[in-house]
């Protein structure tokens, strides 16, 4: 079956910064997409993994200093304060300094950002630290949005609901007309798969220009980023409940270790991660991540948390009594 018309060229502007790229199109145009090349050519060498995945919480927002703002302004339209704008710019400078300390001359950054106004403004603040040549691209990603607390919020009701959440459990408690952290987990699972695919196919740079000195920056919200870490490292609900919120305008860095996997202990100290809420067992796993290779499994850390099987303890007690 032939088409009633032919297309000679089209413009592709996805993931570009102020610059459109022309791609030639013919009957084999689908093969220009990297996903298709990977499928068609089994011998294709996978592009290098980005050196870091940097999680950034938005700077201080109007809602952080006045919860009454949510009664007047829709959550997605809450802006940064002046302090929050400074925090974003300072965070961008710290990210650039960290990357430049590697000593590589071909480094770049690629951003994923929540579509909320305060995260977009944070992105712009971060971006002031980087010239155009260092920014590989930006993608707005709705799955990185804040936990949904409902529409315009009743301030007194929210106080009641948050108090109930503490008793019920932060992960499973669903706000009326909103989301639970478990709901956020479901959409973050979808984003994680998109991210892994982007990493595997080298979405961030054209073939021939791919470098291991790419750095991914995810600009999002406190709970969303904690859920992202939970999903990535397969932490339990109990372990999630222990985690502290990131400070506004701060970052957590997942960096490749000796084997190529991402570990929190390449950039951060054990004490910093303990302050964040990691248990000794979680720290042991992060130490393993520092040297393990992608695709390897930590068979010595089966449960990622407290034992699910208490009868083994009973057997040990009987054996030694």
């Amino acid at each position: 079956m032939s088409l009633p018309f032919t297309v000679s060229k089209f413009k592709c502007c996805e993931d570009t910064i102020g610059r459109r790229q022309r791609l030639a199109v013919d009957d084999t145009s689908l093969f220009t997409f990297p996903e298709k090349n990977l499928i068609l050519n089994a011998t294709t060498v996978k592009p290098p993994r980005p050196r870091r995945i940097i999680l950034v919480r938005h700077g201080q927002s109007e809602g952080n200093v006045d919860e009454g703002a949510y009664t007047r302004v829709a959550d997605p339209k809450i802006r940064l304060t002046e302090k929050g704008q400074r925090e974003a710019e300072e965070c961008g400078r710290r990210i650039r300094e960290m990357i430049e300390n590697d000593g590589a001359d071909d480094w770049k950054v690629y951003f994923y950002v929540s579509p909320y106004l305060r995260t977009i403004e944070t992105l712009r603040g971060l971006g002031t630290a980087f010239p155009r040549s260092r920014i590989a691209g930006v993608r707005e990603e709705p799955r990185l949005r804040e936990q949904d607390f409902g529409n315009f919020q009743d301030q007194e009701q929210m106080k009641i609901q948050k108090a109930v959440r503490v008793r019920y459990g932060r992960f499973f408690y669903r706000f009326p007309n909103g989301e639970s952290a478990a709901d956020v987990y479901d959409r973050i699972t979808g984003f994680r798969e998109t991210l892994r695919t982007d990493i595997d196919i080298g979405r961030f740079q054209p073939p021939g220009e791919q470098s291991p000195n790419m750095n991914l920056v995810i600009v999002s919200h406190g709970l969303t980023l904690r859920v992202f870490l939970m999903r990535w490292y397969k932490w339990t609900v109990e372990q999630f409940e222990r985690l502290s919120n990131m400070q506004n305008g701060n970052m957590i860095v997942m960096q490749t270790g000796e084997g190529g996997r991402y570990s929190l202990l390449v950039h951060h100290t054990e004490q910093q991660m303990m302050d964040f809420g990691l248990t000794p067992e979680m720290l042991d796993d992060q130490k393993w991540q520092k040297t393990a290779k992608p695709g390897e499994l930590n068979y010595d850390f089966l449960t990622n948390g407290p034992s699910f099987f208490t009868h083994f303890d009973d057997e040990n007690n009987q054996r030694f009594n």
Side-chain angles (χ1 to χ4, degrees):
M1 176 179 174
S2 61
L3 296 174
F5 59 89
T6 59
V7 180
S8 59
K9 291 183 178 181
F10 71 87
K11 293 181 178 180
C12 177
C13 59
E14 180 183 345
D15 300 341
T16 60
I17 299 296
R19 182 176 66 245
R20 292 179 179 269
Q21 298 180 355
R22 285 185 178 275
L23 298 178
V25 178
D26 53 26
D27 292 340
T28 62
S29 62
L30 288 180
F31 303 148
T32 62
F33 289 95
E35 302 97 313
K36 302 297 181 180
N37 287 334
L38 285 175
I39 293 172
L40 293 174
N41 186 359
T43 63
T44 299
V45 177
K46 282 190 175 183
R49 278 186 151 201
R51 183 170 300 278
R52 299 177 181 86
I53 302 175
I54 305 167
L55 311 181
V56 176
R57 185 186 178 195
H58 63 79
Q60 184 191 75
S61 73
E62 295 169 341
N64 293 133
V65 297
D66 175 18
E67 290 190 353
Y70 296 107
T71 68
R72 305 183 299 272
V73 182
D75 196 355
K77 296 181 180 179
I78 294 288
R79 308 185 69 102
L80 293 184
T81 63
E82 290 185 6
K83 179 182 178 182
Q85 293 170 350
R86 293 193 300 271
E87 289 173 336
E89 293 172 5
E90 172 58 27
C91 186
R93 289 191 289 269
R94 285 191 285 121
I95 291 174
R96 178 167 181 169
E97 180 181 1
M98 174 179 63
I99 295 172
E100 289 181 333
N101 284 340
D102 293 338
D105 59 5
D106 62 344
W107 62 269
K108 289 190 176 182
V109 290
Y110 185 100
F111 296 92
Y112 294 87
V113 61
S114 157
Y116 280 30
L117 183 55
R118 55 188 178 275
T119 42
I120 296 292
E121 290 179 337
T122 300
L123 170 71
R124 291 171 180 156
L126 297 171
T128 61
F130 304 97
R132 180 189 295 267
S133 62
R134 295 296 187 180
I135 301 178
V138 177
R139 179 183 298 176
E140 182 179 281
E141 176 51 75
R143 289 172 292 184
L144 290 173
R145 69 189 183 273
E146 174 67 287
Q147 178 183 8
D148 189 350
F149 297 103
N151 296 319
F152 292 103
Q153 299 171 19
D154 182 308
Q155 191 170 4
E156 293 305 314
Q157 276 299 314
M158 285 302 296
K159 290 180 180 179
I160 296 172
Q161 295 299 331
K162 288 182 177 180
V164 174
R165 179 178 63 171
V166 171
R167 290 191 289 113
Y168 191 89
R170 289 179 176 274
F171 188 76
F172 291 113
Y173 183 77
R174 178 179 287 119
F175 286 90
N177 302 313
E179 288 181 308
S180 66
D183 296 321
V184 178
Y185 184 97
D186 292 341
R187 56 175 160 90
I188 285 298
T189 294
F191 169 71
R192 174 182 175 273
E193 296 311 307
T194 298
L195 179 62
R196 288 176 63 92
T197 299
D198 285 352
I199 290 173
D200 288 343
I201 67 175
R203 175 74 70 185
F204 319 108
Q205 293 170 298
E209 299 178 20
Q210 291 165 347
S211 164
N213 298 309
M214 174 62 64
N215 297 269
L216 307 185
V217 182
I218 298 176
V219 188
S220 186
H221 310 262
L223 179 135
T224 306
L225 294 174
R226 299 202 308 277
V227 169
F228 175 85
L229 289 168
M230 176 191 182
R231 182 63 184 86
W232 186 278
Y233 291 115
K234 302 177 179 64
W235 293 337
T236 65
V237 171
E238 182 175 342
Q239 289 168 337
F240 169 84
E241 297 276 6
R242 291 176 53 92
L243 300 179
S244 302
N245 212 3
M246 295 169 57
Q247 295 296 312
N248 291 111
N250 274 320
M251 61 181 175
I252 286 182
V253 180
M254 304 162 57
Q255 185 165 329
T256 51
E258 296 174 17
R261 293 180 72 99
Y262 294 102
S263 171
L264 299 173
L265 291 181
V266 177
H267 177 80
H268 300 283
T269 67
E270 291 187 33
Q271 186 59 55
Q272 286 174 328
M273 289 297 94
M274 290 175 63
D275 293 342
F276 180 55
L278 270 65
T279 64
E281 294 81 9
M282 296 162 77
L283 289 173
D284 285 342
D285 184 55
Q286 290 300 315
K287 293 174 186 176
W288 175 85
Q289 303 274 353
K290 287 179 66 174
T291 58
K293 297 178 181 178
E296 292 182 347
L297 298 175
N298 187 356
Y299 289 101
D300 295 326
F301 192 51
L302 297 180
T303 64
N304 264 4
S307 173
F308 291 93
F309 304 106
T310 57
H311 66 283
F312 296 126
D313 295 332
D314 295 335
E315 290 178 1
N316 290 334
N317 291 334
Q318 293 173 5
R319 183 181 307 165
F320 293 105
N321 286 336

